[in-house]
Amino acid sequence: MTDHHLAQLNVGRLCHPLDTAEAAGFVTGLEPINALADNSPGFVWRLVDEEGRDATAIRPYGDDMIVNLSVWESFQALWDFTYRSDHLEYIRRRREWFTRMAEPFTVLWWVPAGHLPSVEEALSRLTRLREAGPAPEAFTFRHRYEPDGGLAVTGSAT
């Protein structure tokens, strides 16, 4: 166990409302992908709505934008879930359900172990990344930092 965990937020602007046939492939994948995350090595926590299933009802940016917020024990744990599991297929299919965004839509940052970030905290990290670029307080998979603030080796995880 380390002193820090990795928080991540990603946002997506929906092409279609979640209750339409066009979004059905995404919606039917929510439960199995969330279960995959919940059971992945290094998973700590993920944001859920009051019903406890997922975060799709939480819309801080408006009706057409959904958020995903989670905490992981390490960068490697998040990387493995994101790019080395069945989750990758949903990343490959994201253009079916989400519009292309010109600005960053994913932000990573280190939190003290045991801290669960609020939506407001996460949104402020994304804003910081969008305004100032990657830094120890808000970074990306490609340009990441270590918990001590040092620049990490870029590229894929080891």
Side-chain angles (χ1 to χ4, degrees), residues 59-132:
R59 306 283 178 97
Y61 282 125
D63 289 343
D64 65 340
M65 187 83 86
I66 61 173
V67 300
N68 174 283
L69 174 59
S70 62
V71 176
W72 297 80
E73 289 179 356
S74 67
F75 178 85
Q76 188 67 52
L78 176 59
W79 177 270
D80 288 345
F81 166 72
T82 304
Y83 296 108
R84 294 184 177 149
S85 76
D86 289 344
H87 179 266
L88 182 58
E89 183 59 26
Y90 287 84
I91 292 174
R92 289 181 177 137
R93 295 180 62 193
R94 70 185 176 270
R95 296 291 168 248
E96 294 177 37
W97 309 305
F98 299 99
T99 62
R100 184 175 302 274
M101 296 179 71
E103 57 194 356
F105 55 89
T106 299
V107 63
L108 310 174
W109 72 100
W110 294 103
V111 297
H115 174 72
L116 302 180
S118 67
V119 172
E120 293 76 20
E121 176 185 345
L123 296 176
S124 73
R125 299 293 178 141
L126 182 59
T127 298
R128 196 256 173 244
L129 175 67
R130 288 175 172 177
E131 292 176 351

Side-chain angles (χ1 to χ4, degrees), residues 2 4-8 36-37 40-44 70-85 87 108-110 139-142 144-147 152-158:
T2 65
H4 291 86
H5 288 159
L6 186 66
Q8 75 79 33
L36 178 64
S40 290
F43 172 82
V44 175
S70 62
V71 176
W72 297 80
E73 289 179 356
S74 67
F75 178 85
Q76 188 67 52
L78 176 59
W79 177 270
D80 288 345
F81 166 72
T82 304
Y83 296 108
R84 294 184 177 149
S85 76
H87 179 266
L108 310 174
W109 72 100
W110 294 103
F139 52 94
T140 66
F141 277 107
R142 187 171 300 199
R144 64 186 173 100
Y145 289 79
E146 298 294 344
V153 176
T154 58
S156 65
T158 55

